[in-house]
Amino acid sequence: MSNTKTPISAGPSDLAVNEREQGRSFQPKFDAAGLLTAVVIEESTGRILMVAFMDREALDRTIASGKAHFHSRSRGKLWMKGETSGNTLTVIDILVDCDQDALVLLVSAVGPACHTGAASCFYRRMDDGRLAPVT
Amino acid sequence: MSNTKTPISAGPSDLAVNEREQGRSFQPKFDAAGLLTAVVIEESTGRILMVAFMDREALDRTIASGKAHFHSRSRGKLWMKGETSGNTLTVIDILVDCDQDALVLLVSAVGPACHTGAASCFYRRMDDGRLAPVT
């Protein structure tokens, strides 16, 4: 018996998983609703600004334009962050997770990222079952 | 006419939205699949470790135990991070976003957070349409 033969466990499925997790090919894995999770982090500070979702169109437009686009689950449509407020997010880098169903957008933000006017959507923290401002 | 009367626009829906976005009541907003997005960030470094999902049970167990629990979309079941690997995540703080459909878990991690053995699931970045290691 040769030591170089393919192990029994290395079927096509294992190879596909290995390529997705370790390879250089970008194979975004959209969920049942056709969405990826996108975590937006300010590149200069490392601060998390918001979490949103991208369908294929939003992903393609983000990559093509360099401005963050998302898919609104509540409105069921594409939107460019800042299209009405002017508070756009310029994408500096995109990180991809192990199974390629989540992205981190490292961005430069113009103005507050949150529609409430807060710099970040994460302006509250859990405090004994209630919410308190992040100080 | 009194200046103190309730503005026409402040109907129950506006009040509910205002309470969800600005109030102190924790009102987690689960999506159509019954899930919240959970972004896991290492408290000591600010580094993003992983993104996962929580249903009500995972959220309740996380809060009760102080160890991160999630709902696996692929396996359709509750799991405690590290239940087999031992690489648990101890929750130090939980941040809540504006519309309460995403959480940040600020954690202390035992061992690598990623099932691949990487410290973070985000070990690759987009590089001209391909993936490259984060250096």
Side-chain angles (χ1 to χ4, degrees):
Chain A
M1 290 186 46
S2 162
N3 286 326
T4 60
K5 77 176 201 177
T6 305
I8 290 166
S9 65
S13 172
D14 290 330
L15 290 173
V17 168
N18 188 57
E19 171 60 23
R20 182 183 291 277
E21 294 188 348
Q22 303 298 336
R24 294 205 54 199
S25 172
F26 182 45
Q27 302 175 6
K29 189 167 136 191
F30 298 94
D31 70 9
L35 301 175
L36 297 172
T37 308
V39 179
V40 180
I41 293 178
E42 189 171 49
E43 196 270 344
S44 62
T45 62
R47 182 181 192 183
I48 185 167
L49 299 180
M50 58 183 286
V51 172
F53 296 90
M54 288 181 163
D55 60 3
R56 167 63 77 173
E57 184 181 15
L59 175 62
D60 289 347
R61 293 215 188 187
T62 298
I63 291 171
S65 68
K67 300 289 182 190
H69 290 66
F70 303 107
H71 175 84
S72 167
R73 297 189 299 177
S74 55
R75 290 176 287 152
K77 57 176 257 193
L78 180 82
W79 59 293
M80 185 185 86
K81 176 76 179 73
E83 64 190 3
T84 54
S85 66
N87 298 328
T88 55
L89 300 171
T90 299
V91 178
I92 296 170
D93 216 343
I94 299 178
L95 309 183
V96 183
D97 80 340
C98 48
D99 58 357
Q100 303 203 34
D101 66 355
L103 306 178
V104 168
L105 307 183
L106 294 171
V107 305
S108 168
V110 173
C114 185
H115 75 284
T116 62
S120 162
C121 294
F122 293 92
Y123 49 81
R124 291 173 296 181
R125 56 181 288 277
M126 295 281 294
D127 181 17
D128 200 18
R130 302 272 289 168
L131 302 181
V134 171
T135 51
Chain B
M1 289 185 49
S2 163
N3 285 325
T4 60
K5 76 178 202 177
T6 305
I8 292 166
S9 64
S13 173
D14 290 330
L15 291 172
V17 169
N18 188 58
E19 171 59 22
R20 182 183 293 276
E21 295 187 348
Q22 303 299 335
R24 293 205 55 198
S25 172
F26 182 45
Q27 303 174 6
K29 188 167 135 191
F30 298 94
D31 70 9
L35 301 175
L36 298 172
T37 308
V39 179
V40 179
I41 293 178
E42 189 171 49
E43 196 270 346
S44 62
T45 62
R47 182 182 192 183
I48 184 168
L49 298 180
M50 58 183 286
V51 172
F53 297 89
M54 288 181 162
D55 60 1
R56 167 63 77 173
E57 184 181 16
L59 175 62
D60 287 348
R61 293 216 187 186
T62 298
I63 292 171
S65 69
K67 301 288 182 189
H69 289 66
F70 303 107
H71 175 84
S72 167
R73 297 189 299 177
S74 57
R75 290 175 287 153
K77 57 175 256 194
L78 180 83
W79 59 292
M80 185 185 85
K81 176 75 180 74
E83 64 191 4
T84 54
S85 65
N87 297 329
T88 55
L89 300 171
T90 299
V91 178
I92 296 170
D93 216 343
I94 299 177
L95 309 184
V96 183
D97 81 339
C98 49
D99 57 358
Q100 304 203 35
D101 65 357
L103 305 178
V104 168
L105 307 184
L106 294 171
V107 305
S108 168
V110 173
C114 185
H115 75 286
T116 63
S120 163
C121 295
F122 293 92
Y123 50 81
R124 291 173 297 182
R125 55 182 290 276
M126 294 281 294
D127 181 17
D128 201 19
R130 303 273 288 168
L131 302 181
V134 171
T135 52

